[in-house]
Amino acid sequence: MIDLDTIAAHGLTPDEYERVKEILDREPNLLELGIFSVMWSEHCSYKSSRVHLRTLPTEGTRVLQGPGENAGALDIGDGLAAVFKIESHNHPSFIEPYQGAATGVGGIIRDIFTMGARPVALLNSLRFGPMEAPLTQRLVEGVVAGIAGYGNSIGIPTVGGEVGFDESYAGNPLVNVFCLGIVSADGIVKGRAEGAGNAVYYVGAKTGRDGIHGATMASAEFDDASAEKRPNVQVGDPFMEKLLLEACLEVMRSDALIGLQDMGAAGLTCSSCEMGARGGVGIDIDVAAVPQREDGMTPYEIMLSESQERMLFIVRQGREDEVERVFEKWDLHAIRIGCVTDDGLLRVRNNGVTVAEIPNKPLADEAPLYDRPYEAPADSEERQQLVMPRQVPSTSVAEQFLRLIASPAIASKRWVYRQYDHMVRTNTIAPAGAGAGVIRVKGTSRALAFSLDGNGRYCYLDPYKGAMLAVAEAARNVACVGALPIGTTNCLNFGNPERPEIMWQFARAVAGIGEACRALNIPITGGNVSLYNETDGKAILPTPVIGVVGLVDQLEHILGQRFNEPEAVVILLGSSIPSLGGSEYLKCLHGLVRGAPPELDLLAERAVQSLVVSLSASEKLLSAHDCSDGGLAVALAECAFSADGIGCDVVVPESENGIPTALFGETSSQVVVSVRKDNVQDVRGAATAAGVACQVLGQTGGRHLRFRVDGNIAIDVSVDEAMNVWESGMSKYLGNNAA
């Protein structure tokens, strides 16, 4: 008889335990309880989120694989598909920053190559507490080192991403990792088991005790005892993963393989029962055959271990020797541990003795489903009321500008991306630090662009609008390099869903994502939900991170964001009223997170993006950069921050709310472009035809940033001075190993 304390320690409620007994028609043993525990955890089952996720748009003409597999896939032409996904490794990265981040990278890479795709690019989205806090500095250094250590070693470039800072992430950092791979459109491999009698193979590294109950840990809040959960964090080996990747891709080139699954969250348990459930078959395995790194491991430990660099294969009868030879060549384990059955059961044996027997479908597809109550926080309307403080904590607008670009949220992330090998494999086109990563598709004239974006402040103030703005910005970043946005993925980071106000944030954010994706015609191919991001009852800002993938038909049409010619005309495309609500200016200079986020007209957003892509294809633009954090002034400065350091002299559109709003107010649906003088009329004509506002601001040239408002010079600083401030804003807090 299993007692209540044991049930609670496994993260199951009494009602869920009663359902387990109904499914089995008996009491479970401890191993079976552990199996149900991990499969019914929030991390694996999405039991609090599925009700809302089902409302998202997941179909489109390019969608080859939507949600439900290891990753999504889009048709990119030339008989090829882009396979991509984003995952979180938040909790492990707080407990053990290096290994938590490293194994997050390893896990998302395996999700991609299990689909038959060769991984070609990585991105990451990171959130930490205030940069001046010693804990934050330790976490940043550990996480970045972990990402670099794994990605660089395996030889997959990290080509972009984003880093944010806020007090809410101090005890719960976010480490979201995106990976994209390329495969032939007819070569996509599924994670399913078929054919009774076909062999089940364990391939890759040995199983250890690291990571046991990692999925359960990721489905609970943090507290003062979280450091004791260090054994729940897996240990990664990128060199082993490189061998595993090559061996798997080689086997996939034959028809010996029926299906495969990464042993990620919940390890051997999840891979076996999910493959069985997808194929409507049973899986019979003997854990005594599993290669083990440690002595005396129990079936419970073997089934729940989340050791890295392991896969489960379903091999066609009669082809076993062929598969074994491939893995022998790569010096990897390929051990037959069982077979496919026709009874729909996950049967676990230990030296032939049955130690667990559970139907697959209730484990994988019929976990508890909760439509949790949700309610707006009592102060939700108050949060959007903004009364600006009378005192501005600086003596001039220019000083405000310099303080803003020095804030870690806006400052250069060079310290971070210099640790990543973003040029390995020689496919990277856009330099690190640009608005979107760009990778050429070898053998074609095409390129893929991708961007990650999220804004926790906006979502805290208005989760519906904030989530829409995140989708719009990620797509706009992709459009600004000349790529047509074609699909998206997401990683939804929120607090405890059992709290109605948190569930309200989640439900509203998902609704906003769905609305924006439908309007911009970028279907969602999959993603990840990370809940219970809280420490001692304090939740993170609601942070949905959106990844958008775009397609460039011709490599020569790719745009950069920086000014590259003097005496070019600077034009602002799009019309949007700037707002200080939820802005970086308000947070940085006044310490406030208040007001309404910028308004968003999705039709206008789509028109601006389409116009930029069209103008890029017709080679009418020299550069393009979206307006986001820090407003128009920051966007213009970022256009100047390069080795050439070309400045600009511009007139900033006036705002009835004053100079700070005109310069630093944030907007949607606006892009700063530079254009040769002889192309200005063509750009204006194209904008008029598209119904997009087009305003000449000034021109590039010189070594100064000169911004005029209301007929007066509001900011006049040298590019060199501003760039020095910008480059040191984050790095001054950190070590010099990547300076």
Side-chain angles (χ1 to χ4, degrees):
M1 179 76 178
I2 293 173
D3 60 30
L4 291 175
D5 289 342
T6 303
I7 296 168
H10 281 75
L12 295 174
T13 68
D15 287 344
E16 289 171 346
Y17 183 71
E18 289 301 315
R19 184 169 172 187
V20 168
K21 291 196 298 182
E22 290 175 7
I23 291 168
L24 297 178
D25 197 26
R26 57 178 171 80
E27 294 273 352
N29 59 38
L30 187 62
L31 171 57
E32 292 167 333
L33 181 70
I35 289 172
F36 272 104
S37 168
V38 293
M39 291 305 301
W40 285 10
S41 68
E42 192 72 56
H43 188 77
C44 290
S45 74
Y46 292 2
K47 57 189 177 185
S48 298
S49 59
R50 278 182 289 158
V51 166
H52 302 282
L53 297 177
R54 290 169 178 171
T55 67
L56 294 172
T58 59
E59 298 179 351
T61 56
R62 291 184 179 272
V63 176
L64 300 176
Q65 177 62 59
E69 275 290 341
N70 291 299
L74 295 175
D75 187 341
I76 59 172
D78 296 312
L80 299 174
V83 176
F84 60 97
K85 189 184 180 184
I86 186 171
E87 282 273 4
S88 64
H89 235 220
N90 304 337
H91 288 56
S93 298
F94 176 71
I95 296 169
E96 175 46 61
Y98 184 97
Q99 290 295 349
T103 52
V105 174
I108 195 65
I109 290 172
R110 291 193 301 278
D111 281 341
I112 300 308
F113 74 74
T114 57
M115 300 288 293
R118 178 171 291 279
V120 296
L122 292 161
L123 303 177
N124 53 74
S125 175
L126 312 176
R127 297 290 188 281
F128 302 99
M131 199 68 249
E132 59 270 15
L135 175 60
T136 297
Q137 295 164 29
R138 181 181 72 82
L139 288 171
V140 170
E141 291 177 350
V143 165
V144 170
I147 292 170
Y150 207 101
N152 294 354
S153 297
I154 199 171
I156 300 171
T158 299
V159 299
E162 57 161 8
V163 186
F165 302 89
D166 185 85
E167 292 84 350
S168 75
Y169 307 111
N172 200 127
L174 303 185
V175 178
N176 296 177
V177 186
F178 168 102
C179 187
L180 179 141
I182 295 174
V183 65
S184 63
D186 59 0
I188 296 171
V189 180
K190 304 290 183 71
R192 59 190 298 123
E194 294 177 353
N198 284 328
V200 177
Y201 269 77
Y202 173 113
V203 303
K206 292 182 179 180
T207 293
R209 290 188 170 95
D210 53 318
I212 294 173
H213 272 296
T216 308
M217 177 193 70
S219 307
E221 302 173 28
F222 279 154
D223 54 32
D224 292 338
S226 293
E228 299 174 4
K229 298 177 181 177
R230 201 173 295 270
N232 294 136
V233 180
Q234 310 96 321
V235 178
D237 181 348
F239 303 104
M240 172 71 76
E241 178 132 327
K242 173 63 174 174
L243 298 176
L244 184 63
L245 184 159
E246 298 298 341
C248 288
L249 292 179
E250 183 172 340
V251 169
M252 291 178 202
R253 288 195 287 269
S254 75
D255 63 351
L257 183 67
I258 292 175
L260 75 162
Q261 179 95 346
D262 166 41
M263 294 189 207
L268 182 54
T269 289
C270 185
S271 57
S272 54
C273 71
E274 284 192 349
M275 291 183 77
R278 289 184 188 128
V281 296
I283 299 287
D284 190 321
I285 58 176
D286 195 319
V287 293
V290 171
Q292 297 163 44
R293 196 169 65 234
E294 303 176 51
D295 295 331
M297 291 189 68
T298 65
Y300 183 101
E301 292 172 324
I302 295 169
M303 289 299 295
L304 271 63
S305 168
E306 295 182 9
S307 294
Q308 299 289 284
E309 294 85 41
R310 305 177 302 154
M311 314 285 286
L312 200 67
F313 272 35
I314 308 298
V315 177
R316 200 177 302 277
Q317 291 187 74
R319 309 291 295 278
E320 297 89 350
D321 289 347
E322 181 180 336
V323 171
E324 290 177 13
R325 283 195 299 271
V326 171
F327 279 87
E328 183 180 1
K329 182 181 81 172
W330 291 99
D331 197 24
L332 293 171
H333 292 288
I335 307 297
R336 182 168 182 165
I337 64 169
C339 65
V340 178
T341 67
D342 59 5
D343 59 12
L345 298 176
L346 171 62
R347 185 174 293 104
V348 182
R349 305 178 191 267
N350 186 27
N351 284 312
V353 178
T354 300
V355 292
E357 197 171 80
I358 308 172
N360 278 317
K361 286 195 72 67
L363 281 174
D365 301 331
E366 299 171 8
L369 181 62
Y370 295 119
D371 189 1
R372 297 194 184 277
Y374 56 88
E375 184 178 5
D379 65 343
S380 60
E381 293 185 3
E382 182 185 345
R383 295 175 185 178
Q384 298 193 35
Q385 305 303 313
L386 176 59
V387 178
M388 289 292 296
R390 293 184 178 180
Q391 297 297 321
V392 177
S394 61
T395 59
S396 70
V397 176
E399 289 182 7
Q400 295 176 45
F401 168 69
L402 293 173
R403 285 185 58 186
L404 188 57
I405 62 175
S407 69
I410 288 177
S412 169
K413 306 305 184 298
R414 184 172 179 266
W415 185 93
V416 174
Y417 64 71
R418 280 290 299 272
Q419 298 187 57
Y420 305 148
D421 187 345
H422 59 277
M423 295 303 295
V424 65
R425 305 189 73 84
T426 69
N427 290 325
T428 307
I429 297 175
V438 187
I439 292 285
R440 68 170 49 86
V441 181
K442 281 189 174 180
T444 77
S445 63
R446 300 169 181 258
L448 290 168
F450 20 80
S451 177
L452 298 180
D453 280 286
N455 191 312
R457 290 193 306 273
Y458 287 173
C459 290
Y460 169 77
L461 297 168
D462 185 336
Y464 180 80
K465 188 190 295 182
M468 286 199 298
L469 286 163
V471 174
E473 183 177 352
R476 199 182 318 125
N477 280 333
V478 166
C480 283
V481 302
L484 176 69
I486 59 174
T488 187
T489 183
N490 57 70
C491 193
L492 309 179
N493 306 276
F494 290 79
N496 184 345
E498 298 168 48
R499 293 165 57 191
E501 66 273 18
I502 299 295
M503 201 64 223
W504 174 81
Q505 292 175 342
F506 182 87
R508 295 298 293 158
V510 171
I513 292 169
E515 181 73 13
C517 288
R518 280 185 283 268
L520 301 179
N521 193 27
I522 43 176
I524 296 167
T525 63
N528 173 244
V529 177
S530 177
L531 302 177
Y532 295 94
N533 288 289
E534 300 194 5
T535 299
D536 295 328
K538 183 180 180 181
I540 63 166
L541 294 176
T543 313
V545 173
I546 308 299
V548 171
V549 174
L551 183 64
V552 184
D553 282 331
Q554 298 293 329
L555 293 170
E556 58 267 28
H557 296 161
I558 295 169
L559 289 171
Q561 69 177 34
R562 294 184 170 91
F563 297 145
N564 50 38
E565 287 188 12
E567 299 184 2
V569 179
V570 179
I571 294 175
L572 181 65
L573 297 175
S575 176
S576 182
I577 299 172
S579 168
L580 291 178
S583 66
E584 183 62 27
Y585 171 88
L586 200 64
K587 179 67 180 348
C588 177
L589 275 79
H590 297 279
L592 294 176
V593 180
R594 302 276 295 187
E599 293 299 321
L600 174 62
D601 182 329
L602 288 168
L603 293 179
E605 178 70 47
R606 185 168 180 176
V608 168
Q609 293 181 20
S610 297
L611 176 63
V612 173
V613 173
S614 173
L615 290 171
S616 171
S618 62
E619 301 182 0
K620 301 298 184 182
L621 304 180
L622 294 170
S623 67
H625 185 32
D626 80 306
C627 298
S628 55
D629 290 352
L632 181 57
V634 169
L636 289 163
E638 290 173 340
C639 293
F641 292 160
S642 69
D644 297 330
I646 299 172
C648 62
D649 191 330
V650 298
V651 176
V652 173
E654 298 178 10
S655 169
E656 63 183 20
N657 295 318
I659 291 176
T661 301
L663 288 165
F664 311 124
E666 295 172 4
T667 63
S668 61
S669 314
Q670 288 193 316
V671 176
V672 173
V673 300
S674 65
V675 182
R676 292 191 180 100
K677 292 179 181 179
D678 55 0
N679 284 327
V680 170
Q681 290 306 315
D682 289 341
V683 171
R684 278 177 161 165
T688 299
V692 174
C694 178
Q695 184 172 353
V696 173
L697 301 183
Q699 70 176 25
T700 66
R703 301 285 298 188
H704 271 246
L705 295 168
R706 190 170 291 116
F707 304 152
R708 307 171 190 266
V709 186
D710 296 339
N712 300 309
I713 296 177
I715 297 174
D716 189 352
V717 300
S718 75
V719 173
D720 292 336
E721 178 188 2
M723 193 157 61
N724 285 337
V725 169
W726 176 72
E727 286 187 336
S728 64
M730 180 178 169
S731 61
K732 66 185 179 184
Y733 296 103
L734 300 163
N736 296 318
N737 59 309

